Amino acid sequence: MTRASARRSTRLESAARHALPDAAMAVGAIAAVVIAGVAIADGRATAGASARPSSSSSVRTPSTTTSSAAGGSTTGTTAARPTAVFIGDSYTTGAGGDGTKWTTLLAQREGWREVNLGYRGTGYGMEFHAPDCPAAGCPDYLQVVSRAAAAHPAIVVVSGGRNDMTNQAKAATNIPKIFQQLRRDLPKARILAVSPFWDSGSYPAPLTALGAEVRSAVRQVGGQYVDVGSPLSGKAGLLSSGGVYPNADGYRAIAEAVEGALKAT
């Protein structure tokens, strides 16, 4: 290599060494601009996201309640459903129905919120004692009134009477007291008394007499007597294996009878 060539090579290497830092600085500057731009864009996106409510934080309206089990539907909001307290015996608790209750079916069809205060073996004047009862025994209806009032219901439904045929004197004494106390404790409530239920056999005359006493007492306090007749009469297929309590179909028949009687009055 000549001296001239060597000098040219040295100058080129020096120029290259000076150019590399400049190029690096230029690349770094470009990268900084890009990063800044991304940061600004991300900031705008974040601000936009925080300004818009997410689906999880949105205010939700009460959901509507639909019931297919009752053969009907409730289209009102849950919050708008009036409370209905049911006072009664084994038929009210759904004994023999494998979870199906006429009270629940009726409440679903009418758009009520059910509070079930039924106790097996009880009646207007009849207490019952069994291991599954409270310590003081399953109470008669008069003792349940205060619990019913504590639920602040818009509707009270009283049913039963078949267990009172063994103690009709006490039932006759308690019947007017029950409805008078309900009216005192719940002056604005709708009070309904359903005629006593019987099974598939002939309707007993003493139960007809008891129903008349219930009808008179509930009407005296401005309540309504719901006469459903005997929806299980002659229909053994609507009873459970023991032949005393309705099965699921039997409770559906009772619910339909009560609903029909309510609409007819």
Side-chain angles (χ1 to χ4, degrees):
M1 179 182 295
T2 64
R3 289 181 179 179
S5 299
R7 284 195 296 272
R8 284 195 301 272
S9 178
T10 301
R11 286 196 299 270
L12 288 171
E13 290 174 0
S14 177
R17 283 196 299 271
H18 286 291
L20 285 172
D22 291 342
M25 290 177 63
V27 171
I30 293 170
V33 171
V34 172
I35 291 170
V38 172
I40 292 171
D42 287 345
R44 289 174 179 170
T46 303
S50 62
R52 294 189 301 270
S54 65
S55 59
S56 60
S57 63
S58 300
V59 177
R60 297 180 181 177
T61 56
S63 59
T64 57
T65 301
T66 303
S67 169
S68 58
S73 64
T74 299
T75 56
T77 61
T78 300
R81 290 188 299 162
T83 297
V85 168
F86 290 84
I87 299 174
D89 54 19
S90 299
Y91 276 45
T92 297
T93 68
D98 295 326
T100 301
K101 300 178 183 179
W102 72 267
T103 58
T104 303
L105 298 175
L106 180 67
Q108 289 171 338
R109 292 177 176 181
E110 295 294 320
W112 301 338
R113 186 180 72 86
E114 176 190 7
V115 176
N116 192 307
L117 298 182
Y119 290 94
R120 73 185 187 97
T122 63
Y124 287 95
M126 190 70 177
E127 299 179 13
F128 188 68
H129 295 271
D132 60 335
C133 287
C138 290
D140 63 36
Y141 296 178
L142 185 58
Q143 299 174 64
V144 179
V145 170
S146 59
R147 287 187 59 198
H152 305 291
I155 304 110
V156 180
V157 183
V158 186
S159 66
R162 61 181 291 130
N163 296 320
D164 288 302
M165 290 194 295
T166 59
N167 195 358
Q168 290 179 273
K170 186 179 179 182
T173 299
N174 279 6
I175 286 172
K177 293 180 180 179
I178 290 165
F179 292 104
Q180 289 166 8
Q181 186 175 333
L182 280 172
R183 180 52 73 207
R184 283 195 302 269
D185 293 348
L186 300 166
K188 296 183 179 180
R190 181 185 181 191
I191 300 175
L192 307 174
V194 181
S195 58
F197 300 127
W198 193 244
D199 49 51
S200 61
S202 300
Y203 202 83
L207 209 54
T208 300
L210 188 143
E213 293 173 4
V214 172
R215 179 176 60 246
S216 175
V218 71
R219 287 179 174 175
Q220 285 179 8
V221 299
Q224 179 181 353
Y225 187 70
V226 185
D227 192 345
V228 299
S230 187
L232 306 179
S233 180
K235 301 174 182 177
L238 296 181
L239 299 179
S240 58
S241 58
V244 176
Y245 307 120
N247 55 26
D249 288 337
Y251 283 119
R252 292 188 188 98
I254 289 175
E256 290 173 1
V258 175
E259 183 185 27
L262 283 173
K263 289 180 178 179
T265 55

